Amino acid sequence: MSHTVGVRQAQKQKTRQALLDAALGLLAEQSLSSLGLREVTRVVGIAPTAFYRHFRDLGELGVALVEEALGSLHSMVRAILAEQAAAEERIDRTVAVVERHVREHPAHVRFVARERHGGVRAVRQAIAGELERFGTEVADALKTQPVSRGWSDDDVRMLAELYVDRLVTTAAVILDAEDAGSAEGERERAVRMARRQLRLISIGRQHWKDEEKDGGGAA
């Protein structure tokens, strides 16, 4: 009996993943708000009613795609930021991680870039929530670095959000270069620009002063 239940559970998980993969493929050319449930089930080869055994609606499927798309990036970038290496080395390694992620998961990156400000509220909220958690993880890593000594939690969080936003934007820019069929030089320019922008943030970090603590500072 338990074997039968196990087989059924495995088949259910397989079908669920097939629905996610089918939707992701279809979303290469359209937004989630324009995607039809029947389109997805037709690709998988199941009846439309069978969809509801796995997801309440396409919004819930989209949330699952968000978790799938962003989950793997967190631990990789957090581990790099936690290293006590020179800033330049951390920046280079972090950008390399993002570049590799785009190369290995272009459909997921495209989905997040398109739906971050898309028409499905549940998915927008899921992306915002994942990026907020990403920011928390990055902030926790930044706090361990000597240059953050004396910084307020709010300032460390602000810095973390700058990094997260820049990395997400970088991923989208690299993907755009790939999708446009641009020459290798276009992608390399995007990567170089990402490194320069992160270095600018890093330099600003070294000279940052909390103006509220300092009485407002000079203009």
Side-chain angles (χ1 to χ4, degrees), residues 167-184:
L167 293 177
V168 172
T169 301
T170 295
V173 170
I174 293 172
L175 181 65
D176 283 345
E178 297 281 356
D179 283 349
S182 303
E184 184 74 10

Side-chain angles (χ1 to χ4, degrees), residues 21-36:
D21 293 343
L24 194 60
L26 291 166
L27 289 169
E29 303 296 336
Q30 60 185 307
S31 65
L32 184 62
S33 60
S34 66
L35 184 65

Side-chain angles (χ1 to χ4, degrees), residues 41 113 117:
T41 54
H117 305 292

